[in-house]
Amino acid sequence: MTLFPTKLERAGDDTLIIEWSDGQRRRYPMRELREACPCATCREKRREPPKPATLLPVLSIAETLPPRIASMKPVGNYAYGIEFNDGHNTGIFTFELLRSLGEELPGAGS
Ligand SMILES: [Zn+2]
């Protein structure tokens, strides 16, 4: 059986909570989701070696903002497309990926 989100909830400014079809609730810091973006561009970036410490990083204003989710749209019946507040919207987060991220919240019954 494929697990799928049954409820999306914002907790505060920077946290997303997803309730799953098996009853599990997981919390996702939006920064974690941004850093886990599975699109080709971000995967490429994560593969780059870290920059030498002597070079000051040049960040655009958007990059200095704490990552936030601007919108989430279902993609087919297997994923969500997440747009972030830096304008990045090419990441397709499959349910499988989402399920592997974040951390489980203690359930009401357990
Ligand atoms: Zn990306």
mmCIF file of all heavy atoms in Angstrom, residues 34 36-43 46 84 88-91 93, ligand 1:
data_model
loop_
_atom_site.group_PDB
_atom_site.id
_atom_site.type_symbol
_atom_site.label_atom_id
_atom_site.label_comp_id
_atom_site.label_asym_id
_atom_site.label_seq_id
_atom_site.Cartn_x
_atom_site.Cartn_y
_atom_site.Cartn_z
ATOM 1 N N ARG A 34 13.765 22.640 1.926
ATOM 2 C CA ARG A 34 14.465 23.419 0.894
ATOM 3 C C ARG A 34 15.794 22.756 0.561
ATOM 4 O O ARG A 34 16.171 22.668 -0.607
ATOM 5 C CB ARG A 34 14.693 24.854 1.390
ATOM 6 C CG ARG A 34 15.387 25.763 0.373
ATOM 7 C CD ARG A 34 14.507 25.969 -0.846
ATOM 8 N NE ARG A 34 15.179 26.744 -1.886
ATOM 9 C CZ ARG A 34 15.972 26.207 -2.821
ATOM 10 N NH1 ARG A 34 16.201 24.910 -2.818
ATOM 11 N NH2 ARG A 34 16.519 26.960 -3.750
ATOM 12 N N ALA A 36 16.544 19.701 0.868
ATOM 13 C CA ALA A 36 16.362 18.367 0.291
ATOM 14 C C ALA A 36 15.732 18.443 -1.094
ATOM 15 O O ALA A 36 15.383 17.411 -1.662
ATOM 16 C CB ALA A 36 15.488 17.519 1.209
ATOM 17 N N CYS A 37 15.584 19.643 -1.629
ATOM 18 C CA CYS A 37 14.927 19.798 -2.932
ATOM 19 C C CYS A 37 15.541 18.832 -3.947
ATOM 20 O O CYS A 37 16.752 18.822 -4.150
ATOM 21 C CB CYS A 37 15.070 21.236 -3.429
ATOM 22 S SG CYS A 37 14.319 21.458 -5.057
ATOM 23 N N PRO A 38 14.698 17.983 -4.545
ATOM 24 C CA PRO A 38 15.215 16.925 -5.412
ATOM 25 C C PRO A 38 15.397 17.328 -6.879
ATOM 26 O O PRO A 38 15.682 16.470 -7.699
ATOM 27 C CB PRO A 38 14.119 15.846 -5.292
ATOM 28 C CG PRO A 38 12.857 16.631 -5.071
ATOM 29 C CD PRO A 38 13.250 17.892 -4.339
ATOM 30 N N CYS A 39 15.245 18.597 -7.224
ATOM 31 C CA CYS A 39 15.360 18.968 -8.637
ATOM 32 C C CYS A 39 16.810 18.873 -9.095
ATOM 33 O O CYS A 39 17.736 18.853 -8.288
ATOM 34 C CB CYS A 39 14.782 20.355 -8.910
ATOM 35 S SG CYS A 39 15.908 21.703 -8.545
ATOM 36 N N ALA A 40 17.010 18.828 -10.398
ATOM 37 C CA ALA A 40 18.352 18.614 -10.956
ATOM 38 C C ALA A 40 19.321 19.706 -10.526
ATOM 39 O O ALA A 40 20.467 19.433 -10.180
ATOM 40 C CB ALA A 40 18.273 18.552 -12.483
ATOM 41 N N THR A 41 18.855 20.954 -10.505
ATOM 42 C CA THR A 41 19.722 22.077 -10.143
ATOM 43 C C THR A 41 20.251 21.934 -8.720
ATOM 44 O O THR A 41 21.442 22.106 -8.458
ATOM 45 C CB THR A 41 18.943 23.406 -10.239
ATOM 46 O OG1 THR A 41 18.284 23.445 -11.501
ATOM 47 C CG2 THR A 41 19.857 24.595 -10.106
ATOM 48 N N CYS A 42 19.361 21.629 -7.789
ATOM 49 C CA CYS A 42 19.783 21.521 -6.392
ATOM 50 C C CYS A 42 20.660 20.287 -6.166
ATOM 51 O O CYS A 42 21.603 20.330 -5.392
ATOM 52 C CB CYS A 42 18.568 21.483 -5.478
ATOM 53 S SG CYS A 42 17.659 23.035 -5.483
ATOM 54 N N ARG A 43 20.323 19.196 -6.860
ATOM 55 C CA ARG A 43 21.168 18.007 -6.710
ATOM 56 C C ARG A 43 22.572 18.309 -7.187
ATOM 57 O O ARG A 43 23.561 17.902 -6.584
ATOM 58 C CB ARG A 43 20.571 16.832 -7.493
ATOM 59 C CG ARG A 43 19.391 16.190 -6.775
ATOM 60 C CD ARG A 43 19.238 14.746 -7.207
ATOM 61 N NE ARG A 43 19.337 14.602 -8.662
ATOM 62 C CZ ARG A 43 18.291 14.502 -9.477
ATOM 63 N NH1 ARG A 43 17.081 14.525 -8.983
ATOM 64 N NH2 ARG A 43 18.461 14.374 -10.769
ATOM 65 N N ARG A 46 24.411 20.436 -4.594
ATOM 66 C CA ARG A 46 24.850 19.682 -3.427
ATOM 67 C C ARG A 46 26.081 18.838 -3.726
ATOM 68 O O ARG A 46 26.795 18.440 -2.831
ATOM 69 C CB ARG A 46 23.712 18.798 -2.900
ATOM 70 C CG ARG A 46 22.650 19.598 -2.152
ATOM 71 C CD ARG A 46 21.777 18.711 -1.285
ATOM 72 N NE ARG A 46 20.934 17.830 -2.084
ATOM 73 C CZ ARG A 46 19.711 18.146 -2.503
ATOM 74 N NH1 ARG A 46 19.201 19.301 -2.211
ATOM 75 N NH2 ARG A 46 19.012 17.306 -3.214
ATOM 76 N N PHE A 84 9.177 27.689 -3.038
ATOM 77 C CA PHE A 84 9.757 28.315 -1.857
ATOM 78 C C PHE A 84 9.772 29.827 -2.005
ATOM 79 O O PHE A 84 9.579 30.365 -3.095
ATOM 80 C CB PHE A 84 11.180 27.783 -1.624
ATOM 81 C CG PHE A 84 11.193 26.332 -1.229
ATOM 82 C CD1 PHE A 84 11.337 25.347 -2.191
ATOM 83 C CD2 PHE A 84 11.032 25.956 0.089
ATOM 84 C CE1 PHE A 84 11.322 24.004 -1.840
ATOM 85 C CE2 PHE A 84 11.021 24.613 0.445
ATOM 86 C CZ PHE A 84 11.168 23.644 -0.517
ATOM 87 N N HIS A 88 12.047 29.493 -5.943
ATOM 88 C CA HIS A 88 12.407 28.197 -6.504
ATOM 89 C C HIS A 88 11.198 27.264 -6.473
ATOM 90 O O HIS A 88 10.617 27.037 -5.427
ATOM 91 C CB HIS A 88 13.556 27.612 -5.682
ATOM 92 C CG HIS A 88 14.166 26.402 -6.294
ATOM 93 N ND1 HIS A 88 14.923 26.468 -7.436
ATOM 94 C CD2 HIS A 88 14.116 25.106 -5.942
ATOM 95 C CE1 HIS A 88 15.317 25.238 -7.745
ATOM 96 N NE2 HIS A 88 14.846 24.395 -6.858
ATOM 97 N N ASN A 89 10.831 26.739 -7.637
ATOM 98 C CA ASN A 89 9.593 25.943 -7.663
ATOM 99 C C ASN A 89 9.687 24.711 -8.561
ATOM 100 O O ASN A 89 8.673 24.190 -9.014
ATOM 101 C CB ASN A 89 8.417 26.810 -8.113
ATOM 102 C CG ASN A 89 8.598 27.309 -9.542
ATOM 103 O OD1 ASN A 89 9.605 27.036 -10.174
ATOM 104 N ND2 ASN A 89 7.633 28.039 -10.037
ATOM 105 N N THR A 90 10.902 24.246 -8.819
ATOM 106 C CA THR A 90 11.034 23.106 -9.720
ATOM 107 C C THR A 90 11.165 21.779 -8.987
ATOM 108 O O THR A 90 11.279 20.738 -9.608
ATOM 109 C CB THR A 90 12.260 23.284 -10.650
ATOM 110 O OG1 THR A 90 13.381 23.668 -9.856
ATOM 111 C CG2 THR A 90 11.989 24.363 -11.683
ATOM 112 N N GLY A 91 11.144 21.824 -7.663
ATOM 113 C CA GLY A 91 11.303 20.586 -6.905
ATOM 114 C C GLY A 91 9.993 19.819 -6.816
ATOM 115 O O GLY A 91 8.978 20.359 -6.390
ATOM 116 N N PHE A 93 8.464 16.870 -4.858
ATOM 117 C CA PHE A 93 8.708 16.030 -3.687
ATOM 118 C C PHE A 93 7.744 14.850 -3.733
ATOM 119 O O PHE A 93 6.549 15.010 -3.472
ATOM 120 C CB PHE A 93 8.497 16.826 -2.407
ATOM 121 C CG PHE A 93 9.573 17.872 -2.147
ATOM 122 C CD1 PHE A 93 9.661 19.011 -2.926
ATOM 123 C CD2 PHE A 93 10.482 17.692 -1.124
ATOM 124 C CE1 PHE A 93 10.649 19.965 -2.695
ATOM 125 C CE2 PHE A 93 11.483 18.641 -0.872
ATOM 126 C CZ PHE A 93 11.553 19.775 -1.669
HETATM 127 ZN ZN ZN B 1 15.622 22.574 -6.422
#
